[in-house]
Amino acid sequence: DAGVTQSPTHLIKTRGQQVTLRCSPKSGHDTVSWYQQALGQGPQFIFQYYEEEERQRGNFPDRFSGHQFPNYSSELNVNALLLGDSALYLCASSFTLSGWYDDEQFFGPGTRLTVL
Amino acid sequence: AQTVTQSQPEMSVQEAETVTLSCTYDTSESNYYLFWYKQPPSRQMILVIRQEAYKQQNATENRFSVNFQKAAKSFSLKISDSQLGDTAMYFCAFMIKSSGDKLTFGTGTRLAVRP
């Protein structure tokens, strides 16, 4: 079992650019959540995808968008990058059974995004 | 809104000794989960231990145990027989059971285990 994987590991962009981060969930998982972890802070919930739809969303602007594919993998897109978007982006996967949420999330190693 | 507070930014412990990390939370919900996650320098967040709010018995996982005080909204983590591999950031996290698996994290405690 490969666990949760994320790509790329590191990324450097300039202000105003767009970025796409990718996540493959743990085998058997169908739900993907994305978190932003600024330096020295705890992760902040961005949004969650289930059945290819955004199920819930945190307090992030519309510049942050996502997608989930039929194989349950997911992308996080950030448009018009700001310096403040520099952070570690974590993907977590879990399993939802008939609307009953599994309480355990498995995290990937994250993508370190630096915006210059 | 739910909040999680970790008041100890940094802690240090001698190898083989015991250390306790503090966490308090605020919620009006009655049905929720609490977690401690470990984040080593490799960055991968690893679940250490979890507690369901309706269970009065404190959770234990090998050298890790919690002191869950529901009325006080306190959820501390005790690490016994500390090992060098325990050196990491530790995050307390909260999840309302009815809202799915959205986690609310504290700001973390950096634990250093000294040889």
Side-chain angles (χ1 to χ4, degrees), chain A residues 42-100:
Chain A
Q44 298 288 318
F45 176 76
I46 302 175
F47 44 52
Q48 182 183 88
Y49 277 84
Y50 171 65
E51 292 187 333
E52 302 180 46
E53 292 187 355
E54 184 181 288
R55 182 159 69 178
Q56 53 180 324
R57 188 181 182 92
N59 293 326
F60 280 80
D62 292 345
R63 297 187 298 109
F64 290 77
S65 63
H67 189 77
Q68 186 179 35
F69 299 93
N71 67 352
Y72 308 120
S73 66
S74 177
E75 289 182 349
L76 164 65
N77 301 293
V78 187
N79 294 322
L81 284 167
L82 304 174
L83 295 179
D85 295 332
S86 293
L88 179 67
Y89 288 85
L90 296 169
C91 168
S93 74
S94 55
F95 177 66
T96 300
L97 175 63
S98 300
W100 183 258

Side-chain angles (χ1 to χ4, degrees), chain B residues 2-74:
Chain B
Q2 282 61 235
T3 59
V4 178
T5 302
Q6 294 180 251
S7 58
Q8 305 154 315
E10 296 187 4
M11 295 279 287
S12 180
V13 64
Q14 195 75 30
E15 194 176 7
E17 294 190 344
T18 296
V19 64
T20 298
L21 308 184
S22 300
C23 172
T24 58
Y25 60 95
D26 189 24
T27 183
S28 57
E29 299 285 335
S30 59
N31 200 6
Y32 52 87
Y33 296 103
L34 292 161
F35 305 85
W36 278 97
Y37 279 89
K38 168 186 177 182
Q39 188 176 41
S42 67
R43 309 182 321 203
Q44 188 129 16
M45 198 78 75
I46 302 164
L47 179 65
V48 174
I49 197 166
R50 64 183 167 187
Q51 175 82 39
E52 295 184 58
Y54 73 89
K55 291 186 177 179
Q56 293 186 337
Q57 187 174 5
N58 288 325
T60 61
E61 288 288 343
N62 301 313
R63 299 182 296 108
F64 299 88
S65 61
V66 298
N67 183 4
F68 174 45
Q69 301 290 327
K70 191 171 184 179
K73 295 181 182 176
S74 171

Side-chain angles (χ1 to χ4, degrees), chain B residues 55-109:
Chain B
K55 291 186 177 179
Q56 293 186 337
Q57 187 174 5
N58 288 325
T60 61
E61 288 288 343
N62 301 313
R63 299 182 296 108
F64 299 88
S65 61
V66 298
N67 183 4
F68 174 45
Q69 301 290 327
K70 191 171 184 179
K73 295 181 182 176
S74 171
F75 183 62
S76 61
L77 174 69
K78 185 172 81 171
I79 306 175
S80 304
D81 186 25
S82 296
Q83 300 176 0
L84 296 178
D86 295 334
T87 293
M89 283 291 290
Y90 285 82
F91 292 96
C92 180
F94 174 96
M95 177 198 296
I96 299 171
K97 197 168 183 178
S98 63
S99 72
D101 39 11
K102 166 191 167 183
L103 289 163
T104 299
F105 286 88
T107 53
T109 296

